[in-house]
Amino acid sequence: MAASEPTDAPRRPRGRPRKPLGDANERSATRERLIRIGLEVLSETGWDATGLARVLKEAKVPKGSFYHYFSSKDDFGLAVVAAYEAYFAERLARSFGNTALSLPEQLATFIDAGRRGLIKHAFPRGCIVGNLGQELGGVNPVFRTALAGVFERWEAALADALAQAQACEALADDVDPQAAARFFWMGWEGAVLRAKLAASVQPVDEFEAGYFRYLNLPAPEVSPGELPPSARSN
Amino acid sequence: MAASEPTDAPRRPRGRPRKPLGDANERSATRERLIRIGLEVLSETGWDATGLARVLKEAKVPKGSFYHYFSSKDDFGLAVVAAYEAYFAERLARSFGNTALSLPEQLATFIDAGRRGLIKHAFPRGCIVGNLGQELGGVNPVFRTALAGVFERWEAALADALAQAQACEALADDVDPQAAARFFWMGWEGAVLRAKLAASVQPVDEFEAGYFRYLNLPAPEVSPGELPPSARSN
Protein backbone atom coordinates (compact mmCIF):
# COMPACT_ATOMS: atom_id res chain seq x y z
CA MET A 1 0.00 0.00 0.00
CA ALA A 2 3.09 2.18 0.17
CA ALA A 3 2.41 3.66 -3.23
CA SER A 4 -0.88 5.18 -2.12
CA GLU A 5 0.40 6.84 1.02
CA PRO A 6 -0.24 10.53 0.63
CA THR A 7 3.42 11.38 1.08
CA ASP A 8 3.06 14.77 -0.48
CA ALA A 9 -0.50 15.39 0.66
CA PRO A 10 -0.97 18.16 3.17
CA ARG A 11 -1.52 17.07 6.72
CA ARG A 12 -5.08 16.96 7.83
CA PRO A 13 -5.42 19.39 10.71
CA ARG A 14 -6.40 17.58 13.91
CA GLY A 15 -8.56 18.65 16.81
CA ARG A 16 -9.83 21.76 15.11
CA PRO A 17 -13.14 22.20 13.36
CA ARG A 18 -12.81 22.91 9.65
CA LYS A 19 -13.13 26.55 8.79
CA PRO A 20 -15.91 27.33 6.37
CA LEU A 21 -14.35 28.04 2.97
CA GLY A 22 -17.14 29.66 1.04
CA ASP A 23 -20.53 28.31 0.11
CA ALA A 24 -21.43 25.00 -1.50
CA ASN A 25 -21.23 26.41 -5.05
CA GLU A 26 -17.77 27.76 -4.47
CA ARG A 27 -16.66 24.49 -2.92
CA SER A 28 -18.02 22.57 -5.88
CA ALA A 29 -16.34 24.89 -8.39
CA THR A 30 -12.99 24.62 -6.62
CA ARG A 31 -13.33 20.84 -6.45
CA GLU A 32 -13.98 20.71 -10.19
CA ARG A 33 -10.95 22.95 -10.82
CA LEU A 34 -8.72 20.65 -8.77
CA ILE A 35 -10.00 17.62 -10.70
CA ARG A 36 -9.46 19.33 -14.07
CA ILE A 37 -5.89 20.26 -13.19
CA GLY A 38 -5.39 16.78 -11.75
CA LEU A 39 -6.42 15.34 -15.14
CA GLU A 40 -3.74 17.38 -16.89
CA VAL A 41 -1.00 16.60 -14.41
CA LEU A 42 -1.85 12.89 -14.13
CA SER A 43 -1.89 12.39 -17.88
CA GLU A 44 1.72 13.56 -17.99
CA THR A 45 3.25 12.12 -14.85
CA GLY A 46 2.75 9.17 -12.57
CA TRP A 47 0.59 9.15 -9.49
CA ASP A 48 3.45 9.38 -7.06
CA ALA A 49 5.14 12.03 -9.14
CA THR A 50 1.96 14.11 -9.13
CA GLY A 51 2.88 16.66 -6.55
CA LEU A 52 -0.42 17.57 -5.00
CA ALA A 53 1.38 20.79 -4.16
CA ARG A 54 1.63 21.53 -7.90
CA VAL A 55 -2.07 20.82 -8.43
CA LEU A 56 -3.06 23.03 -5.49
CA LYS A 57 -0.77 25.83 -6.66
CA GLU A 58 -2.13 25.78 -10.22
CA ALA A 59 -5.67 25.75 -8.84
CA LYS A 60 -4.75 28.60 -6.46
CA VAL A 61 -6.04 26.59 -3.51
CA PRO A 62 -4.17 26.97 -0.21
CA LYS A 63 -2.46 23.75 0.82
CA GLY A 64 -4.20 23.65 4.17
CA SER A 65 -7.67 23.42 2.66
CA PHE A 66 -7.15 20.25 0.57
CA TYR A 67 -9.24 18.16 2.95
CA HIS A 68 -12.10 20.57 2.55
CA TYR A 69 -12.47 19.17 -0.97
CA PHE A 70 -11.24 15.59 -0.74
CA SER A 71 -10.98 13.15 2.14
CA SER A 72 -7.60 11.75 1.02
CA LYS A 73 -5.14 11.72 -1.87
CA ASP A 74 -6.76 8.43 -3.04
CA ASP A 75 -10.18 10.10 -2.95
CA PHE A 76 -8.81 12.85 -5.19
CA GLY A 77 -7.25 10.29 -7.56
CA LEU A 78 -10.52 8.36 -7.84
CA ALA A 79 -12.37 11.61 -8.63
CA VAL A 80 -9.86 12.27 -11.43
CA VAL A 81 -10.41 8.74 -12.80
CA ALA A 82 -14.19 9.29 -12.72
CA ALA A 83 -13.79 12.61 -14.56
CA TYR A 84 -11.61 10.92 -17.18
CA GLU A 85 -14.22 8.23 -17.69
CA ALA A 86 -16.95 10.87 -18.07
CA TYR A 87 -14.88 12.72 -20.71
CA PHE A 88 -14.15 9.43 -22.44
CA ALA A 89 -17.82 8.43 -22.49
CA GLU A 90 -18.48 11.11 -25.12
CA ARG A 91 -15.75 9.73 -27.31
CA LEU A 92 -17.23 6.23 -27.00
CA ALA A 93 -20.69 7.56 -27.83
CA ARG A 94 -19.36 9.22 -30.99
CA SER A 95 -17.67 5.98 -32.14
CA PHE A 96 -18.87 2.61 -30.83
CA GLY A 97 -22.19 4.07 -29.74
CA ASN A 98 -22.97 5.70 -33.09
CA THR A 99 -25.26 3.25 -34.86
CA ALA A 100 -25.22 5.39 -38.03
CA LEU A 101 -21.64 4.17 -38.62
CA SER A 102 -20.55 0.74 -39.84
CA LEU A 103 -18.31 -1.29 -37.51
CA PRO A 104 -15.15 -0.41 -39.49
CA GLU A 105 -16.16 3.26 -39.36
CA GLN A 106 -16.83 3.04 -35.61
CA LEU A 107 -13.41 1.53 -34.99
CA ALA A 108 -11.67 4.00 -37.31
CA THR A 109 -13.44 6.93 -35.63
CA PHE A 110 -12.34 5.84 -32.17
CA ILE A 111 -8.77 5.11 -33.21
CA ASP A 112 -8.48 8.33 -35.19
CA ALA A 113 -9.56 10.41 -32.19
CA GLY A 114 -6.75 8.78 -30.19
CA ARG A 115 -4.27 9.46 -32.97
CA ARG A 116 -5.26 13.14 -33.02
CA GLY A 117 -5.07 13.38 -29.26
CA LEU A 118 -1.52 12.03 -29.26
CA ILE A 119 -0.46 14.48 -31.97
CA LYS A 120 -2.22 17.45 -30.39
CA HIS A 121 -0.39 16.92 -27.14
CA ALA A 122 2.87 16.03 -28.92
CA PHE A 123 2.80 12.56 -27.35
CA PRO A 124 3.66 13.03 -23.67
CA ARG A 125 0.09 12.32 -22.66
CA GLY A 126 -1.31 8.87 -22.63
CA CYS A 127 -4.28 7.12 -21.16
CA ILE A 128 -4.74 7.97 -17.49
CA VAL A 129 -6.39 4.62 -16.85
CA GLY A 130 -3.48 2.79 -18.45
CA ASN A 131 -0.90 4.92 -16.64
CA LEU A 132 -2.49 4.45 -13.24
CA GLY A 133 -3.11 0.77 -13.92
CA GLN A 134 0.58 0.17 -14.62
CA GLU A 135 1.69 2.15 -11.60
CA LEU A 136 -0.91 1.23 -9.00
CA GLY A 137 -2.75 -1.80 -10.39
CA GLY A 138 -0.56 -4.20 -8.49
CA VAL A 139 -0.24 -2.37 -5.21
CA ASN A 140 -3.38 -0.35 -4.51
CA PRO A 141 -6.59 -2.41 -4.27
CA VAL A 142 -8.88 0.64 -4.32
CA PHE A 143 -7.45 1.87 -7.62
CA ARG A 144 -7.24 -1.66 -8.97
CA THR A 145 -10.98 -2.16 -8.55
CA ALA A 146 -11.84 1.28 -9.91
CA LEU A 147 -9.61 0.95 -12.98
CA ALA A 148 -10.74 -2.61 -13.74
CA GLY A 149 -14.33 -1.30 -13.63
CA VAL A 150 -13.53 1.44 -16.15
CA PHE A 151 -12.00 -1.10 -18.54
CA GLU A 152 -15.06 -3.36 -18.15
CA ARG A 153 -17.41 -0.53 -19.13
CA TRP A 154 -15.22 0.40 -22.12
CA GLU A 155 -15.21 -3.24 -23.17
CA ALA A 156 -18.99 -3.44 -22.87
CA ALA A 157 -19.39 -0.45 -25.23
CA LEU A 158 -17.28 -2.12 -27.92
CA ALA A 159 -18.76 -5.58 -27.28
CA ASP A 160 -22.23 -4.11 -27.96
CA ALA A 161 -21.03 -2.62 -31.26
CA LEU A 162 -19.45 -5.93 -32.26
CA ALA A 163 -22.61 -7.88 -31.38
CA GLN A 164 -24.73 -5.44 -33.38
CA ALA A 165 -22.45 -5.83 -36.39
CA GLN A 166 -22.77 -9.59 -36.01
CA ALA A 167 -26.58 -9.31 -35.93
CA CYS A 168 -26.36 -7.42 -39.27
CA GLU A 169 -23.98 -10.05 -40.66
CA ALA A 170 -21.25 -7.42 -40.89
CA LEU A 171 -18.96 -9.52 -38.68
CA ALA A 172 -18.17 -13.23 -38.77
CA ASP A 173 -20.12 -15.46 -36.39
CA ASP A 174 -17.03 -17.05 -34.92
CA VAL A 175 -15.96 -13.78 -33.24
CA ASP A 176 -16.82 -13.67 -29.54
CA PRO A 177 -17.78 -10.00 -28.99
CA GLN A 178 -16.63 -9.97 -25.34
CA ALA A 179 -13.30 -11.60 -26.09
CA ALA A 180 -12.79 -9.40 -29.16
CA ALA A 181 -13.57 -6.28 -27.12
CA ARG A 182 -11.06 -7.26 -24.45
CA PHE A 183 -8.48 -8.02 -27.14
CA PHE A 184 -9.05 -4.53 -28.54
CA TRP A 185 -8.42 -2.71 -25.27
CA MET A 186 -5.31 -4.71 -24.42
CA GLY A 187 -3.81 -3.79 -27.76
CA TRP A 188 -5.03 -0.22 -27.60
CA GLU A 189 -3.29 0.46 -24.28
CA GLY A 190 -0.12 -1.07 -25.69
CA ALA A 191 -0.39 1.00 -28.87
CA VAL A 192 -0.73 4.25 -26.92
CA LEU A 193 2.25 3.30 -24.75
CA ARG A 194 4.36 2.58 -27.83
CA ALA A 195 3.23 5.78 -29.56
CA LYS A 196 4.45 7.73 -26.52
CA LEU A 197 7.81 5.95 -26.59
CA ALA A 198 8.22 6.34 -30.36
CA ALA A 199 6.79 9.90 -30.39
CA SER A 200 4.93 8.72 -33.50
CA VAL A 201 1.45 7.51 -34.38
CA GLN A 202 2.87 4.60 -36.34
CA PRO A 203 2.14 2.10 -33.50
CA VAL A 204 -1.49 3.25 -33.56
CA ASP A 205 -1.65 2.70 -37.34
CA GLU A 206 -0.17 -0.76 -36.92
CA PHE A 207 -2.53 -1.66 -34.12
CA GLU A 208 -5.47 -0.58 -36.30
CA ALA A 209 -4.30 -2.71 -39.21
CA GLY A 210 -3.71 -5.67 -36.87
CA TYR A 211 -7.08 -5.44 -35.21
CA PHE A 212 -8.89 -5.32 -38.55
CA ARG A 213 -6.90 -8.38 -39.61
CA TYR A 214 -7.90 -10.09 -36.36
CA LEU A 215 -11.59 -9.37 -37.07
CA ASN A 216 -11.07 -10.44 -40.67
CA LEU A 217 -12.42 -7.08 -41.89
CA PRO A 218 -10.85 -4.98 -44.66
CA ALA A 219 -8.72 -2.25 -43.09
CA PRO A 220 -9.95 1.30 -43.67
CA GLU A 221 -7.90 3.75 -45.66
CA VAL A 222 -5.88 6.05 -43.43
CA SER A 223 -6.20 9.62 -44.63
CA PRO A 224 -2.57 10.75 -44.47
CA GLY A 225 -3.38 14.23 -45.76
CA GLU A 226 -5.02 15.02 -42.44
CA LEU A 227 -1.97 14.27 -40.32
CA PRO A 228 1.28 16.24 -40.35
CA PRO A 229 4.11 14.19 -41.93
CA SER A 230 6.18 14.60 -38.73
CA ALA A 231 3.64 12.46 -36.91
CA ARG A 232 4.32 9.56 -39.28
CA SER A 233 8.03 9.22 -38.69
CA ASN A 234 10.20 8.79 -35.68
CA MET B 1 12.00 16.46 -16.95
CA ALA B 2 10.45 16.88 -13.54
CA ALA B 3 9.70 13.18 -13.25
CA SER B 4 13.36 12.25 -13.52
CA GLU B 5 14.69 14.69 -10.95
CA PRO B 6 16.36 12.65 -8.25
CA THR B 7 14.09 14.06 -5.56
CA ASP B 8 14.83 11.24 -3.17
CA ALA B 9 18.37 10.62 -4.33
CA PRO B 10 21.05 11.40 -1.83
CA ARG B 11 22.95 14.60 -2.42
CA ARG B 12 26.24 14.24 -4.18
CA PRO B 13 28.89 15.52 -1.81
CA ARG B 14 30.67 18.55 -3.23
CA GLY B 15 34.22 19.71 -2.90
CA ARG B 16 35.47 16.55 -1.26
CA PRO B 17 37.28 13.69 -2.92
CA ARG B 18 35.34 10.43 -2.82
CA LYS B 19 36.49 8.11 -0.11
CA PRO B 20 37.62 4.73 -1.34
CA LEU B 21 34.86 2.22 -0.56
CA GLY B 22 36.57 -1.10 -0.99
CA ASP B 23 38.21 -2.59 -4.05
CA ALA B 24 36.85 -2.92 -7.57
CA ASN B 25 35.35 -6.37 -6.90
CA GLU B 26 33.51 -5.14 -3.86
CA ARG B 27 32.24 -2.09 -5.75
CA SER B 28 31.03 -4.30 -8.58
CA ALA B 29 29.30 -6.70 -6.18
CA THR B 30 27.53 -3.86 -4.38
CA ARG B 31 26.49 -2.31 -7.68
CA GLU B 32 24.99 -5.64 -8.76
CA ARG B 33 23.16 -5.93 -5.42
CA LEU B 34 21.67 -2.45 -5.83
CA ILE B 35 20.53 -3.32 -9.36
CA ARG B 36 18.98 -6.61 -8.22
CA ILE B 37 17.03 -4.92 -5.43
CA GLY B 38 16.12 -2.12 -7.84
CA LEU B 39 14.60 -4.76 -10.15
CA GLU B 40 12.40 -6.05 -7.34
CA VAL B 41 11.30 -2.63 -6.15
CA LEU B 42 10.72 -1.22 -9.65
CA SER B 43 8.60 -4.17 -10.72
CA GLU B 44 6.22 -3.38 -7.87
CA THR B 45 6.15 0.40 -7.75
CA GLY B 46 6.64 3.30 -10.11
CA TRP B 47 9.89 5.07 -10.71
CA ASP B 48 9.05 8.09 -8.63
CA ALA B 49 7.66 5.92 -5.88
CA THR B 50 10.86 3.89 -5.79
CA GLY B 51 12.47 5.37 -2.75
CA LEU B 52 16.14 5.05 -3.42
CA ALA B 53 16.41 5.12 0.34
CA ARG B 54 14.52 1.80 0.44
CA VAL B 55 16.82 0.26 -2.16
CA LEU B 56 19.93 1.45 -0.32
CA LYS B 57 18.60 0.20 3.00
CA GLU B 58 17.76 -3.25 1.65
CA ALA B 59 21.18 -3.41 0.01
CA LYS B 60 22.78 -2.26 3.29
CA VAL B 61 24.56 0.54 1.44
CA PRO B 62 25.01 3.83 3.30
CA LYS B 63 23.06 6.64 1.67
CA GLY B 64 26.10 8.83 1.26
CA SER B 65 27.89 6.36 -1.01
CA PHE B 66 25.21 6.09 -3.73
CA TYR B 67 27.29 8.14 -6.19
CA HIS B 68 30.16 5.76 -5.72
CA TYR B 69 28.08 3.24 -7.68
CA PHE B 70 25.92 5.35 -10.02
CA SER B 71 26.33 8.82 -11.43
CA SER B 72 22.64 9.72 -11.03
CA LYS B 73 19.23 8.26 -10.26
CA ASP B 74 18.64 8.00 -14.04
CA ASP B 75 21.92 6.12 -14.43
CA PHE B 76 20.71 3.66 -11.79
CA GLY B 77 17.34 3.29 -13.52
CA LEU B 78 18.97 2.60 -16.88
CA ALA B 79 21.19 -0.05 -15.25
CA VAL B 80 18.05 -1.72 -13.88
CA VAL B 81 16.44 -1.65 -17.35
CA ALA B 82 19.58 -3.22 -18.85
CA ALA B 83 19.55 -5.95 -16.17
CA TYR B 84 15.88 -6.64 -16.90
CA GLU B 85 16.62 -6.95 -20.60
CA ALA B 86 19.49 -9.36 -19.87
CA TYR B 87 17.21 -11.52 -17.71
CA PHE B 88 14.52 -11.38 -20.36
CA ALA B 89 16.96 -12.39 -23.13
CA GLU B 90 17.08 -15.91 -21.67
CA ARG B 91 13.32 -16.17 -21.78
CA LEU B 92 13.32 -15.05 -25.41
CA ALA B 93 16.05 -17.57 -26.25
CA ARG B 94 13.99 -20.39 -24.71
CA SER B 95 10.88 -19.41 -26.71
CA PHE B 96 11.23 -17.40 -29.94
CA GLY B 97 14.90 -18.32 -30.26
CA ASN B 98 14.35 -22.07 -29.88
CA THR B 99 14.29 -23.41 -33.42
CA ALA B 100 13.39 -26.90 -32.15
CA LEU B 101 9.89 -25.58 -31.42
CA SER B 102 7.15 -24.81 -33.93
CA LEU B 103 5.90 -21.21 -34.06
CA PRO B 104 2.76 -22.04 -32.02
CA GLU B 105 4.97 -23.78 -29.45
CA GLN B 106 7.35 -20.82 -29.34
CA LEU B 107 4.48 -18.41 -28.72
CA ALA B 108 2.86 -20.69 -26.15
CA THR B 109 6.20 -21.13 -24.33
CA PHE B 110 6.75 -17.39 -24.08
CA ILE B 111 3.18 -16.65 -23.00
CA ASP B 112 3.13 -19.48 -20.49
CA ALA B 113 6.30 -18.20 -18.81
CA GLY B 114 4.57 -14.84 -18.37
CA ARG B 115 1.47 -16.52 -16.98
CA ARG B 116 3.57 -18.41 -14.44
CA GLY B 117 5.48 -15.28 -13.47
CA LEU B 118 2.25 -13.42 -12.76
CA ILE B 119 0.93 -16.28 -10.63
CA LYS B 120 4.21 -16.81 -8.80
CA HIS B 121 4.31 -13.20 -7.72
CA ALA B 122 0.56 -13.11 -7.05
CA PHE B 123 0.14 -10.43 -9.74
CA PRO B 124 1.56 -7.22 -8.27
CA ARG B 125 4.57 -7.42 -10.56
CA GLY B 126 4.37 -6.52 -14.16
CA CYS B 127 6.76 -5.71 -16.92
CA ILE B 128 9.35 -3.14 -15.84
CA VAL B 129 9.71 -1.88 -19.39
CA GLY B 130 5.94 -1.40 -19.67
CA ASN B 131 5.71 0.22 -16.24
CA LEU B 132 8.53 2.68 -16.88
CA GLY B 133 7.29 3.35 -20.39
CA GLN B 134 3.87 4.38 -19.09
CA GLU B 135 5.32 6.53 -16.35
CA LEU B 136 8.33 8.11 -18.04
CA GLY B 137 7.91 7.48 -21.76
CA GLY B 138 6.32 10.86 -22.31
CA VAL B 139 8.47 12.97 -20.05
CA ASN B 140 11.99 11.56 -19.87
CA PRO B 141 13.83 11.38 -23.24
CA VAL B 142 16.69 9.27 -21.86
CA PHE B 143 14.31 6.54 -20.66
CA ARG B 144 12.15 6.91 -23.74
CA THR B 145 15.05 6.06 -26.04
CA ALA B 146 16.28 3.21 -23.83
CA LEU B 147 12.84 1.62 -23.47
CA ALA B 148 11.99 2.00 -27.17
CA GLY B 149 15.28 0.23 -27.91
CA VAL B 150 14.36 -2.69 -25.64
CA PHE B 151 11.00 -3.09 -27.39
CA GLU B 152 12.71 -2.99 -30.79
CA ARG B 153 15.06 -5.82 -29.81
CA TRP B 154 12.17 -7.88 -28.41
CA GLU B 155 10.25 -7.30 -31.63
CA ALA B 156 13.23 -8.37 -33.71
CA ALA B 157 13.43 -11.69 -31.81
CA LEU B 158 9.78 -12.48 -32.58
CA ALA B 159 9.96 -11.10 -36.14
CA ASP B 160 12.81 -13.55 -36.83
CA ALA B 161 10.73 -16.46 -35.51
CA LEU B 162 7.76 -15.38 -37.64
CA ALA B 163 9.93 -15.03 -40.76
CA GLN B 164 11.42 -18.49 -40.18
CA ALA B 165 7.95 -19.99 -39.82
CA GLN B 166 7.00 -18.29 -43.08
CA ALA B 167 10.06 -19.75 -44.79
CA CYS B 168 8.86 -23.22 -43.67
CA GLU B 169 5.33 -22.43 -44.86
CA ALA B 170 4.08 -22.66 -41.29
CA LEU B 171 2.70 -19.11 -41.47
CA ALA B 172 0.68 -17.39 -44.19
CA ASP B 173 2.60 -15.24 -46.66
CA ASP B 174 0.39 -12.22 -46.14
CA VAL B 175 1.65 -11.75 -42.56
CA ASP B 176 4.29 -9.01 -42.29
CA PRO B 177 6.69 -10.38 -39.63
CA GLN B 178 7.73 -6.92 -38.38
CA ALA B 179 4.17 -5.63 -38.12
CA ALA B 180 2.98 -8.90 -36.54
CA ALA B 181 5.81 -8.75 -33.99
CA ARG B 182 4.91 -5.18 -33.05
CA PHE B 183 1.25 -6.17 -32.80
CA PHE B 184 2.25 -8.96 -30.41
CA TRP B 185 4.16 -6.73 -28.01
CA MET B 186 1.45 -4.05 -27.92
CA GLY B 187 -1.09 -6.65 -26.92
CA TRP B 188 1.26 -8.40 -24.54
CA GLU B 189 1.92 -5.25 -22.53
CA GLY B 190 -1.83 -4.63 -22.39
CA ALA B 191 -2.51 -8.22 -21.33
CA VAL B 192 -0.02 -8.03 -18.46
CA LEU B 193 -1.54 -4.73 -17.33
CA ARG B 194 -5.02 -6.22 -17.36
CA ALA B 195 -3.87 -9.39 -15.56
CA LYS B 196 -2.49 -7.17 -12.79
CA LEU B 197 -5.77 -5.26 -12.53
CA ALA B 198 -7.91 -8.42 -12.63
CA ALA B 199 -5.49 -10.40 -10.42
CA SER B 200 -6.14 -13.22 -12.90
CA VAL B 201 -4.36 -14.78 -15.88
CA GLN B 202 -7.56 -14.71 -17.91
CA PRO B 203 -6.46 -11.61 -19.89
CA VAL B 204 -3.28 -13.48 -20.82
CA ASP B 205 -5.34 -16.48 -22.01
CA GLU B 206 -7.54 -14.16 -24.06
CA PHE B 207 -4.60 -12.35 -25.56
CA GLU B 208 -3.07 -15.69 -26.56
CA ALA B 209 -6.28 -16.84 -28.24
CA GLY B 210 -6.63 -13.47 -30.00
CA TYR B 211 -3.08 -13.45 -31.28
CA PHE B 212 -3.40 -16.95 -32.70
CA ARG B 213 -6.59 -15.86 -34.40
CA TYR B 214 -4.78 -12.82 -35.80
CA LEU B 215 -2.06 -15.08 -37.24
CA ASN B 216 -4.72 -17.48 -38.47
CA LEU B 217 -3.08 -20.34 -36.58
CA PRO B 218 -4.96 -22.93 -34.48
CA ALA B 219 -4.74 -21.91 -30.83
CA PRO B 220 -2.78 -24.28 -28.61
CA GLU B 221 -4.48 -26.16 -25.83
CA VAL B 222 -4.00 -24.47 -22.47
CA SER B 223 -3.05 -27.03 -19.87
CA PRO B 224 -5.37 -26.02 -17.01
CA GLY B 225 -4.14 -28.79 -14.74
CA GLU B 226 -0.86 -26.97 -14.33
CA LEU B 227 -2.39 -23.77 -13.00
CA PRO B 228 -4.18 -23.37 -9.68
CA PRO B 229 -7.92 -22.77 -10.19
CA SER B 230 -7.69 -19.51 -8.22
CA ALA B 231 -5.58 -18.06 -11.00
CA ARG B 232 -8.40 -18.58 -13.51
CA SER B 233 -11.08 -16.55 -11.77
CA ASN B 234 -11.32 -13.05 -10.45
Side-chain angles (χ1 to χ4, degrees):
Chain A
M1 248 76 347
S4 69
E5 289 293 311
T7 45
D8 55 356
R11 274 199 205 159
R12 180 196 282 282
R14 288 179 193 280
R16 279 207 296 169
R18 287 178 184 159
K19 261 196 287 182
L21 289 161
D23 62 15
N25 281 349
E26 198 180 306
R27 177 175 179 278
S28 172
T30 304
R31 203 182 131 91
E32 291 308 309
R33 198 161 71 246
L34 287 166
I35 290 171
R36 185 174 45 73
I37 292 167
L39 272 170
E40 287 169 22
V41 173
L42 256 181
S43 67
E44 287 173 29
T45 70
W47 175 241
D48 284 289
T50 296
L52 262 189
R54 177 179 157 195
V55 173
L56 291 165
K57 193 181 169 191
E58 285 190 30
K60 295 188 172 55
V61 169
K63 202 165 175 178
S65 60
F66 174 78
Y67 289 106
H68 185 62
Y69 305 104
F70 299 97
S71 65
S72 64
K73 191 179 171 187
D74 274 10
D75 180 36
F76 171 66
L78 292 174
V80 173
V81 170
Y84 187 73
E85 189 175 4
Y87 144 78
F88 214 82
E90 282 181 57
R91 199 168 132 194
L92 292 175
R94 281 197 307 273
S95 51
F96 305 140
N98 182 351
T99 50
L101 301 178
S102 69
L103 176 63
E105 287 168 342
Q106 289 175 326
L107 287 164
T109 299
F110 176 85
I111 292 169
D112 204 50
R115 204 181 265 128
R116 281 160 204 287
L118 285 164
I119 292 167
K120 185 175 165 192
H121 299 297
F123 299 102
R125 302 194 185 204
C127 171
I128 283 185
V129 172
N131 292 351
L132 287 175
Q134 287 279 16
E135 186 177 352
L136 298 179
V139 291
N140 183 319
V142 174
F143 274 94
R144 191 174 74 203
T145 308
L147 298 168
V150 175
F151 273 124
E152 276 165 30
R153 290 183 289 278
W154 289 354
E155 281 163 3
L158 175 55
D160 283 352
L162 293 164
Q164 279 176 27
Q166 235 166 12
C168 310
E169 297 183 5
L171 181 67
D173 273 346
D174 69 342
V175 174
D176 172 347
Q178 295 290 341
R182 285 194 285 266
F183 191 66
F184 177 89
W185 288 106
M186 289 181 203
W188 178 250
E189 287 297 327
V192 171
L193 163 63
R194 298 302 305 279
K196 268 166 53 177
L197 288 180
S200 159
V201 294
Q202 195 182 322
V204 172
D205 298 350
E206 290 180 338
F207 167 72
E208 184 172 40
Y211 193 69
F212 274 80
R213 183 187 160 89
Y214 160 83
L215 288 181
N216 210 5
L217 290 174
E221 292 290 314
V222 177
S223 38
E226 296 182 25
L227 289 175
S230 62
R232 302 230 154 259
S233 68
N234 236 337
Chain B
M1 247 79 339
S4 70
E5 289 294 310
T7 46
D8 56 355
R11 274 199 205 158
R12 179 197 282 280
R14 287 178 195 278
R16 277 208 296 169
R18 286 178 184 157
K19 259 196 289 183
L21 289 162
D23 62 14
N25 280 348
E26 197 182 306
R27 178 173 177 278
S28 171
T30 304
R31 205 181 129 92
E32 291 309 308
R33 197 161 73 245
L34 286 166
I35 291 172
R36 185 176 45 73
I37 293 167
L39 272 170
E40 287 169 22
V41 174
L42 256 181
S43 68
E44 287 174 29
T45 70
W47 174 243
D48 284 290
T50 295
L52 264 188
R54 179 179 156 196
V55 173
L56 292 165
K57 193 181 168 189
E58 284 190 32
K60 295 189 172 56
V61 169
K63 203 167 174 178
S65 60
F66 174 77
Y67 289 106
H68 184 63
Y69 304 104
F70 300 98
S71 65
S72 64
K73 192 180 170 187
D74 274 9
D75 180 37
F76 171 66
L78 292 174
V80 173
V81 170
Y84 187 71
E85 188 177 3
Y87 144 79
F88 214 82
E90 282 181 56
R91 201 169 131 194
L92 291 176
R94 282 196 306 273
S95 51
F96 305 141
N98 183 350
T99 50
L101 301 178
S102 69
L103 175 63
E105 287 168 341
Q106 289 175 327
L107 287 163
T109 299
F110 176 85
I111 293 168
D112 205 50
R115 203 181 264 129
R116 281 160 205 287
L118 285 164
I119 293 168
K120 185 176 165 193
H121 299 297
F123 298 101
R125 303 193 185 204
C127 171
I128 283 185
V129 172
N131 292 351
L132 288 176
Q134 287 279 13
E135 185 177 352
L136 299 180
V139 291
N140 183 318
V142 174
F143 274 95
R144 190 174 75 202
T145 307
L147 299 168
V150 175
F151 273 124
E152 275 164 30
R153 288 183 288 277
W154 289 355
E155 281 164 3
L158 175 54
D160 282 352
L162 292 164
Q164 279 177 25
Q166 236 167 9
C168 310
E169 296 183 7
L171 182 65
D173 273 345
D174 69 343
V175 174
D176 171 349
Q178 295 290 340
R182 285 194 285 265
F183 191 66
F184 177 89
W185 288 106
M186 288 181 203
W188 179 251
E189 286 298 326
V192 170
L193 163 62
R194 299 301 306 279
K196 267 165 55 176
L197 288 179
S200 159
V201 294
Q202 196 183 321
V204 172
D205 298 350
E206 290 180 338
F207 167 72
E208 184 172 38
Y211 192 71
F212 274 80
R213 184 188 158 88
Y214 159 83
L215 288 180
N216 210 5
L217 290 174
E221 292 290 315
V222 177
S223 38
E226 295 182 24
L227 289 175
S230 62
R232 303 229 153 260
S233 68
N234 234 335

